Amino acid sequence: NGTWDSGPDWGNSYLKLLPANGTLSMADFFTPFNVSTLILQDRDLGSGMATLLPTFSSSPFPHIMIGAGKEGRIYVVSRDNMGHFNSACDCQIVQSIANAVGVATNTTDLTRNYSTPPYWNGNVYFSGTNDTIKRFHLSTATSKLTTTPSDTSATTYAFPGSNPVVSANGNGSGILWAIETGAGILRAYDATKLTTELYNTTQNAARDAWGSAIKFAPPLVVNGKVYVGTRTQLVVYGNL
């Protein structure tokens, strides 16, 4: 967030920095066409981190990054040629999908997204404010997303949405984990079909329920266990 003037101030931009002579130097950048509006309306690009995807050797854009800011616009950017700035449109990047993530609550609160999208097996997932979790399919031949979700969760996530993560056994058995912050609920979905909820912590509340969640914090999945940090404790879930 902050001022943008195409250098030295780089607010609301994706930057590529490379080491040179013991420091970091600017190698490439992308700034949205409507950067002035983003600044005036506090719709900063940095509300959600971008995700670097694996190499797609059959695509004309083999190295991409995907992210979205408060505006809820998804950006697919080539890491080899990030596109710089075009005041007319974002047509110089791989793809831009407007109003793809989150729902603005009113004319004064325009924030839609605080999530960082996980990638798994050709799928990219977003969880915006006042919105369902959305799964977008990615073509490895073009490095572009479907412009509408392949499917969505049944649950709508209030502010600030969630920061979902995926656990899997390689390209199989994918599970998407998400925390419903206000309600303090951990949910698990079939990562290939978000309409299928596999588990949530209200199903056996006496055993699994926990206190208020910390906003923006994702669950951590490692070695068959799911870790959730709350305001007062660290909760660990595992196989029964």
Side-chain angles (χ1 to χ4, degrees):
N1 196 13
T3 302
W4 179 83
D5 55 16
S6 191
D9 297 312
W10 293 98
N12 293 290
S13 300
Y14 291 137
L15 308 180
K16 181 177 182 178
L17 307 178
L18 292 177
N21 300 318
T23 185
L24 291 174
S25 63
M26 174 72 67
D28 205 352
F29 75 93
F30 164 67
T31 302
F33 79 99
N34 59 343
V35 61
S36 297
T37 300
L38 300 183
I39 293 170
L40 288 173
Q41 297 181 350
D42 189 31
R43 302 169 83 178
D44 27 307
L45 179 61
S47 66
M49 297 292 288
T51 298
L52 308 186
L53 274 65
T55 299
F56 304 124
S57 56
S58 61
S59 169
F61 308 104
H63 309 113
I64 61 170
M65 55 187 286
I66 296 179
K70 284 184 182 178
E71 188 186 25
R73 184 190 302 264
I74 294 176
Y75 302 98
V76 183
V77 179
S78 170
R79 307 198 311 266
D80 301 316
N81 181 6
M82 296 179 69
H84 294 188
F85 174 67
N86 181 341
S87 62
C89 63
D90 289 329
C91 45
Q92 79 279 20
I93 65 173
V94 178
Q95 191 178 23
S96 172
I97 309 174
N99 301 319
V101 181
V103 177
T105 55
N106 52 58
T107 57
T108 57
D109 184 2
L110 302 172
T111 57
R112 290 173 174 263
N113 178 66
Y114 293 88
S115 69
T116 297
Y119 169 81
W120 174 74
N121 201 28
N123 300 288
V124 179
Y125 307 84
F126 278 96
S127 178
T129 64
N130 308 302
D131 202 0
T132 57
I133 300 177
K134 296 175 176 178
R135 176 174 70 92
F136 294 86
H137 179 69
L138 180 86
S139 168
T140 57
T142 64
S143 295
K144 293 185 178 181
L145 296 170
T146 52
T147 56
T148 57
S150 301
D151 53 41
T152 65
S153 65
T155 298
T156 296
Y157 288 71
F159 172 86
S162 69
N163 271 292
V165 299
V166 176
S167 64
N169 182 11
N171 290 331
S173 304
I175 299 174
L176 182 117
W177 302 88
I179 296 173
E180 191 178 351
T181 304
I185 300 171
L186 173 67
R187 298 183 184 273
Y189 302 91
D190 181 340
T192 65
K193 189 177 181 182
L194 295 182
T195 52
T196 301
E197 184 174 302
L198 305 173
Y199 164 79
N200 71 68
T201 50
T202 67
Q203 292 173 353
N204 188 339
R207 181 192 65 196
D208 297 341
W210 39 275
S212 298
I214 301 171
K215 67 180 181 179
F216 308 129
L220 173 67
V221 186
V222 62
N223 293 333
K225 293 183 173 60
V226 183
Y227 297 81
V228 177
T230 76
R231 295 180 185 276
T232 58
Q233 57 191 329
L234 175 65
V235 183
V236 185
Y237 295 93
N239 293 328
L240 294 175

